[in-house]
Amino acid sequence: MSKTETKARDGQAMPDVKTAMVGFLSEFKDFQADIKTKLHNQEERLTMLDRKTMFAGRPALSTAAAEEGAAPHQKAFEAYLRSGDEDSLRGLELEGKALSTAVAADGGYLVDPETSATVATVLSSSASIRSIANVVNVEATTFDVLIDQGEMGSGWATESDSSIETDTPQIERISIPLHELSAMPKASQRLLDDSAFDIDSWLADRIAKKFARAEAAAFVNGNGVDKPTGFLTHSIADDATWSWGEIGYVASGADGAFGSADALIDLVYALGAQYRAGAAFVMNSKTAGSVRKLKDGDGRFLWSDGLAAGEPARLLGYPVVVAEDMPDIASDAAAIAFGDFTAGYTIAERPDLRVLRDPFSAKPHVLFYATKRVGGDVSDFAAIKVLKFSAS
């Protein structure tokens, strides 16, 4: 082979080697970058695992990691509360625990079922008439209660005599309209943006507290105008002349005071025997303080504390509900009620709870206008009696 041919061959081989080396270096760099990325991701996962281990045993916060495992309706509802993202609520199906997509004309949305259930639980456990009344869920604007005021007539018959016509019971219809109850808690946008802020619990707690105060007052003293009708709003009459539509009373025997402890015994037995089994006393804290000082003829206190934690105190063997909206002991005041409130007072409510997010009216705070519909009224006037602090 000549020198000319050898040079030509070497000149052709050198570019091929350079090209191969450039390709190899490029692929090696890509491989190196991929390894670095994987190591970085692995380091982040280990860091998150260390944080979870470090905070184990502490109350769970609503972090992004926790939100990843949350139900779709919870994610959507929290997104709406934090940022007002209405699109996050659309497209969800109403199945089981999912959020309803029903939208009110004013832009309000049905609350996440778990939050709504939390509010309902707090209301039911509060010291108000709700805890002992008959509570029903309705879908209409009113709830009708049918009451049999009398018993069907009957008589003895002989084998040969013909039967005689007997009295037919009278049916009374009581209509309980539903009214809108509202609460408007607020929070700063910065607080809502904090991923560690448990917005569900906060909202449920604020709504429940405001609803509980408003309901408790209305169920006792509400005038029925845009609110429930309280049982003390109805006229009261001496139990000796009591008639349907009135609340019967027993006098304490002294003006604005107890004539004697016997007045409480008279109150108990003024209630029909069919109601006494499920009856309870209702009074406020100030009245309870006076009652628990009363003694019988043998010097024993009429009041006894609950035998176990969580059990209500008892007066003459009946539970006592302390409702702060009951009137204080005063002249002619009906400061103590006694009755079977499950039969005597009905609370009708719609099960849904709506929230309207308003980020404009109270900047830099965000207002949450929460509403529900609830009504209440006496459903059996014979099931409730009161102690009137008067001489007669």
Side-chain angles (χ1 to χ4, degrees):
M1 184 181 293
S2 65
K3 292 182 177 179
T4 304
E5 292 174 345
T6 302
K7 288 182 179 179
R9 185 192 63 186
D10 292 340
Q12 191 175 17
M14 287 300 293
D16 293 337
V17 173
K18 289 182 180 180
T19 301
M21 287 298 296
V22 171
F24 172 77
L25 291 175
S26 177
E27 292 178 357
F28 180 80
K29 288 181 179 180
D30 292 340
F31 173 77
Q32 187 179 33
D34 184 59
I35 292 297
K36 287 183 178 180
T37 300
K38 290 182 178 179
L39 289 175
H40 179 71
N41 292 338
Q42 184 68 21
E43 185 178 356
E44 287 185 342
R45 283 194 291 269
L46 290 174
T47 301
M48 291 178 64
L49 182 61
D50 289 340
R51 288 178 179 174
K52 289 182 179 180
T53 304
M54 180 174 62
F55 289 103
R58 297 187 181 183
L61 299 178
S62 179
T63 59
E67 289 177 358
E68 289 179 0
H73 71 278
Q74 291 177 315
K75 294 180 181 179
F77 181 63
E78 289 195 5
Y80 169 66
L81 293 184
R82 293 181 191 279
S83 62
D85 182 11
E86 299 178 3
D87 290 335
S88 64
L89 293 174
R90 297 193 178 97
L92 292 177
E93 295 182 354
L94 181 59
E95 55 178 38
K97 294 184 179 179
L99 178 71
S100 170
T101 55
V103 181
D106 58 358
Y109 290 88
L110 296 185
V111 167
D112 161 53
E114 293 183 9
T115 303
S116 185
T118 302
V119 174
T121 301
V122 173
L123 292 178
S124 298
S125 61
S126 62
S128 73
I129 300 301
R130 173 184 278 272
S131 63
I132 55 176
N134 177 36
V135 181
V136 296
N137 289 329
V138 298
E139 297 294 338
T141 57
T142 61
F143 178 70
D144 291 338
V145 182
L146 298 179
I147 299 295
D148 179 4
Q149 292 190 32
E151 294 186 0
M152 184 179 296
S154 63
W156 296 102
T158 64
E159 181 178 359
S160 58
D161 293 338
S162 59
S163 298
I164 61 173
E165 183 179 349
T166 58
D167 294 335
T168 302
Q170 296 179 345
I171 302 297
E172 178 78 14
R173 180 191 296 271
I174 298 176
S175 182
I176 301 176
L178 273 63
H179 307 281
E180 187 171 283
L181 176 62
S182 64
M184 192 160 55
K186 68 179 179 180
S188 67
Q189 185 62 57
R190 180 177 297 180
L191 186 61
L192 297 177
D193 291 339
D194 185 0
S195 62
F197 175 51
D198 188 353
I199 188 172
D200 287 345
S201 298
W202 169 82
L203 184 66
D205 179 68
R206 295 297 299 273
I207 293 174
K209 287 180 178 178
K210 291 195 175 186
F211 280 4
R213 289 194 294 267
E215 281 189 355
F219 295 154
V220 175
N221 298 304
N223 60 9
V225 179
D226 296 330
K227 62 174 65 71
T229 301
F231 71 93
L232 289 184
T233 305
H234 295 278
S235 59
I236 62 175
D238 191 324
D239 194 59
T241 60
W242 170 86
S243 62
W244 185 265
E246 301 172 322
I247 301 293
Y249 77 82
V250 173
S252 66
D255 187 28
F258 281 102
S260 71
D262 292 345
L264 289 172
I265 299 176
D266 294 337
L267 177 63
V268 169
Y269 288 97
L271 191 68
Q274 69 271 32
Y275 300 114
R276 285 200 297 270
F281 284 97
V282 180
M283 64 190 76
N284 66 22
S285 296
K286 190 174 181 179
T287 302
S290 298
V291 171
R292 68 180 303 152
K293 300 174 185 176
L294 297 176
K295 300 178 181 180
D296 61 15
D298 296 324
R300 295 171 299 189
F301 286 103
L302 302 179
W303 184 287
S304 61
D305 293 321
L307 299 177
E311 285 191 1
R314 290 186 172 270
L315 177 61
L316 297 175
Y318 295 95
V320 179
V321 175
V322 177
E324 300 299 349
D325 294 285
M326 289 291 290
D328 294 335
I329 295 176
S331 179
D332 293 332
I336 299 177
F338 178 74
D340 182 356
F341 283 84
T342 302
Y345 196 87
T346 297
I347 297 171
E349 63 184 5
R350 291 182 64 94
D352 54 347
L353 179 67
R354 294 180 182 272
V355 170
L356 175 64
R357 187 183 189 278
D358 178 10
F360 306 109
S361 300
K363 292 180 179 179
H365 293 89
V366 177
L367 298 176
F368 296 98
Y369 183 62
T371 60
K372 68 173 295 186
R373 300 184 67 186
V374 61
D377 201 352
V378 174
S379 51
D380 190 345
F381 288 92
I384 302 174
K385 304 294 181 183
V386 296
L387 184 65
K388 181 181 178 183
F389 285 82
S390 61
S392 60

